[in-house]
Amino acid sequence: MIEKPKLFLSLKEFLVVVSIFLLLLSLRLYFIYSEYKSFSQKEFYFTYVEVLQQYQKEKDSKIYTILRVYSPELDLNFFTRTYSDEVFLGKGLRLKLYPHKDMNFFDYLRSPFIASRINHVYELPHDLKSLFLEKISSQHQDRQIVDFYQAIFLATPLQKELRKQVSILGVSHLIALSGFHLGILWSVLFFLFRPFYRLVQQSYFPYRFDLIDVGFSVLLLLGWYVWFVDSPASLVRSYTMMVMGWGVMIFGIELLTFTFVATMIMVILLIFPKMLLSLAFWFSVLGVFYIFLLVERFKTLNKPMMMLLISFGLFVLMSPVVHIIFPITSTLQLYSPFLSLAFTPFYPFSILAHLIGYGGVFDNLLLGLFSLESETVGVKLDMIYGIGYLILSFGAIWSRWMFYSLFVVAFGFMGWIFLGH
């Protein structure tokens, strides 16, 4: 069997590319820093925003409302505060911003808090996405179910109560649109279009390949979908990964390598440098890394067994990493790998059910799932142990002994958090 060419022929080539990447990233960050300085030095700034999320908080016996908004003009997601009890969710606002004096550059790269005053409230144009949101809403009675489907289909933010429940269940990764969802859609669309393509291919262009033509068509459709749902960061980075993976396969280059993962990270950070401080981005990178690690170490398994291994193995290996940042722990999280497996057929079937007007077919099942209760505890892994775990993870690339040690440590950690608390 002919061996596929590698992305880099030598370590020297790879290090040259890394050096070029660091230079270009520094330039990109310099220009963003210039934008930040210009913005932060203004006494006030007027901009139009769309309200993405709204929830109440209380401090010193005062109740106020936090808004998460997006400004297309500034290309900035940020938080602001109002003492009005009006419902702003899904509306447009004209804000007078007062750039926060204590907002540093790192805050600007994330989602900063910016003080503001609301000058005007207006209804957003009724577009195609609004029609889909209404169609989903009309097929359900319960608000939580509506929020759930609108989130997994159209990338709308979850309200606080449901967000807490999915965190307890350990299925936040199933709700936020990501590469997992795009992978399911890719598979469904590719195998739906492929038979029709082959009928035409055999008669008119038998010399062409379905992976190129059908794959490219599916990528175009998915690109339109990413744009249609307002290009959330998690979906944009996943789509970028998918395009890169497809390109590597088309050119016949070896795909399942860690140098490809590193290259993918560099390209995404050059295109979207603000992801440098995005926890969601680095969690998704680690997810891809552990998938590659599992595939590399168990490459002889058949596809069904590999799918089971990835679902359960990823849950085990990611648990210590997640608990470095997020301490919430519940025994219901043990169902997470089973729910991940069930979500694979559920997602396309639920899309079809909504398209034909039977979107409520799974409502009772979902309501039962969201009503499950379990005692939660806060278990946080110390940063020093987390860094040690990550070093062990990277060492597992080269050492089989370190790979098995990694699993022992991860299983031990799970036993500690679920049985020891």
Side-chain angles (χ1 to χ4, degrees), residues 168-169 312 315 330-338 414 418:
I168 292 172
L169 288 168
F312 287 90
F315 172 69
S330 160
T331 52
L332 290 177
Q333 291 169 356
L334 292 170
Y335 293 111
S336 176
F338 297 98
M414 287 185 61
F418 290 116

Side-chain angles (χ1 to χ4, degrees), residues 260-327:
F260 171 72
V261 176
T263 305
M264 178 182 67
I265 294 169
M266 290 187 287
V267 170
I268 291 174
L269 288 178
L270 278 180
I271 301 173
F272 313 106
K274 288 185 179 182
M275 288 187 182
L276 191 64
L277 297 181
S278 167
L279 279 176
F281 169 69
W282 291 112
F283 275 131
S284 66
V285 166
L286 280 172
V288 173
F289 168 78
Y290 285 127
I291 289 173
F292 274 51
L293 195 59
L294 289 167
V295 172
E296 173 66 24
R297 293 301 180 190
F298 298 99
K299 60 179 67 175
T300 57
L301 289 180
N302 57 40
K303 288 184 178 180
M305 289 302 296
M306 183 63 75
M307 183 178 293
L308 287 171
L309 174 69
I310 288 174
S311 183
F312 287 90
L314 196 57
F315 172 69
V316 172
L317 294 173
M318 284 293 294
S319 289
V321 180
V322 170
H323 281 83
I324 297 173
I325 307 296
F326 303 109

Side-chain angles (χ1 to χ4, degrees), residues 116-159:
S116 70
R117 188 178 71 189
I118 298 174
N119 282 5
H120 179 57
V121 182
Y122 59 94
E123 295 292 333
L124 293 171
H126 204 67
D127 55 9
L128 184 60
K129 183 179 178 180
S130 302
L131 292 176
F132 277 113
L133 289 170
E134 290 174 4
K135 183 174 177 61
I136 292 170
S137 182
S138 67
Q139 297 182 46
H140 307 280
Q141 302 297 322
D142 189 271
R143 186 66 232 177
Q144 280 194 335
I145 302 298
V146 173
D147 285 350
F148 168 75
Y149 278 118
Q150 289 180 345
I152 66 170
F153 294 159
L154 298 172
T156 58
L158 288 179
Q159 294 307 300

Side-chain angles (χ1 to χ4, degrees), residues 77-368:
N77 274 288
F78 62 93
F79 293 91
T80 192
R81 176 176 55 212
T82 177
Y83 288 95
S84 171
D85 57 1
E86 185 179 345
V87 177
F88 298 106
L89 191 64
K91 295 182 179 179
L93 305 176
R94 176 172 167 80
L95 297 181
K96 184 178 184 180
L97 303 181
Y98 302 93
H100 191 34
K101 292 181 180 178
D102 296 329
M103 179 180 66
N104 57 40
F105 181 53
F106 296 107
D107 294 328
Y108 183 76
L109 288 178
R110 295 189 287 258
S111 295
F113 175 86
I114 303 175
S116 70
R117 188 178 71 189
I118 298 174
N119 282 5
H120 179 57
V121 182
Y122 59 94
E123 295 292 333
L124 293 171
H126 204 67
D127 55 9
L128 184 60
K129 183 179 178 180
S130 302
L131 292 176
F132 277 113
L133 289 170
E134 290 174 4
K135 183 174 177 61
I136 292 170
S137 182
S138 67
Q139 297 182 46
H140 307 280
Q141 302 297 322
D142 189 271
R143 186 66 232 177
Q144 280 194 335
I145 302 298
V146 173
D147 285 350
F148 168 75
Y149 278 118
Q150 289 180 345
I152 66 170
F153 294 159
L154 298 172
T156 58
L158 288 179
Q159 294 307 300
K160 193 173 182 179
E161 183 181 345
L162 183 55
R163 190 168 69 250
K164 181 180 178 181
Q165 184 61 25
V166 299
S167 179
I168 292 172
L169 288 168
V171 293
S172 299
H173 63 288
L174 300 181
I175 310 300
L177 284 180
S178 64
F180 185 46
H181 303 78
L182 286 184
I184 295 172
L185 293 175
W186 163 279
S187 301
V188 171
L189 291 173
F190 187 85
F191 287 105
L192 279 177
F193 294 164
R194 193 182 190 188
F196 299 102
Y197 171 83
R198 284 193 165 179
L199 286 175
V200 181
Q201 178 199 29
Q202 290 170 2
S203 302
Y204 297 100
F205 37 83
Y207 51 88
R208 296 195 62 85
F209 296 97
D210 53 5
L211 179 61
I212 296 177
D213 295 338
V214 180
F216 181 70
S217 301
V218 171
L219 279 178
L220 285 179
L221 277 175
L222 292 179
W224 174 85
Y225 172 68
V226 172
W227 168 82
F228 178 70
V229 298
D230 298 325
S231 307
S234 60
L235 210 55
V236 170
R237 66 172 175 261
S238 300
Y239 181 71
T240 305
M241 292 179 187
M242 181 173 283
V243 171
M244 288 180 63
W246 177 79
V248 166
M249 286 193 296
I250 291 302
F251 286 104
I253 299 170
E254 189 176 1
L255 175 64
L256 298 175
T257 64
F258 294 101
T259 50
F260 171 72
V261 176
T263 305
M264 178 182 67
I265 294 169
M266 290 187 287
V267 170
I268 291 174
L269 288 178
L270 278 180
I271 301 173
F272 313 106
K274 288 185 179 182
M275 288 187 182
L276 191 64
L277 297 181
S278 167
L279 279 176
F281 169 69
W282 291 112
F283 275 131
S284 66
V285 166
L286 280 172
V288 173
F289 168 78
Y290 285 127
I291 289 173
F292 274 51
L293 195 59
L294 289 167
V295 172
E296 173 66 24
R297 293 301 180 190
F298 298 99
K299 60 179 67 175
T300 57
L301 289 180
N302 57 40
K303 288 184 178 180
M305 289 302 296
M306 183 63 75
M307 183 178 293
L308 287 171
L309 174 69
I310 288 174
S311 183
F312 287 90
L314 196 57
F315 172 69
V316 172
L317 294 173
M318 284 293 294
S319 289
V321 180
V322 170
H323 281 83
I324 297 173
I325 307 296
F326 303 109
I328 187 168
T329 305
S330 160
T331 52
L332 290 177
Q333 291 169 356
L334 292 170
Y335 293 111
S336 176
F338 297 98
L339 293 173
S340 296
L341 286 171
F343 191 82
T344 303
F346 166 81
Y347 191 55
F349 279 120
S350 61
I351 292 175
L352 177 62
H354 281 84
L355 289 175
I356 61 177
Y358 289 91
V361 66
F362 298 115
D363 282 13
N364 290 334
L365 182 65
L366 290 170
L367 284 172

Side-chain angles (χ1 to χ4, degrees), residues 35 70-77 108 274:
E35 293 173 5
Y70 173 69
S71 167
E73 179 186 357
L74 295 170
D75 188 24
L76 187 66
N77 274 288
Y108 183 76
K274 288 185 179 182

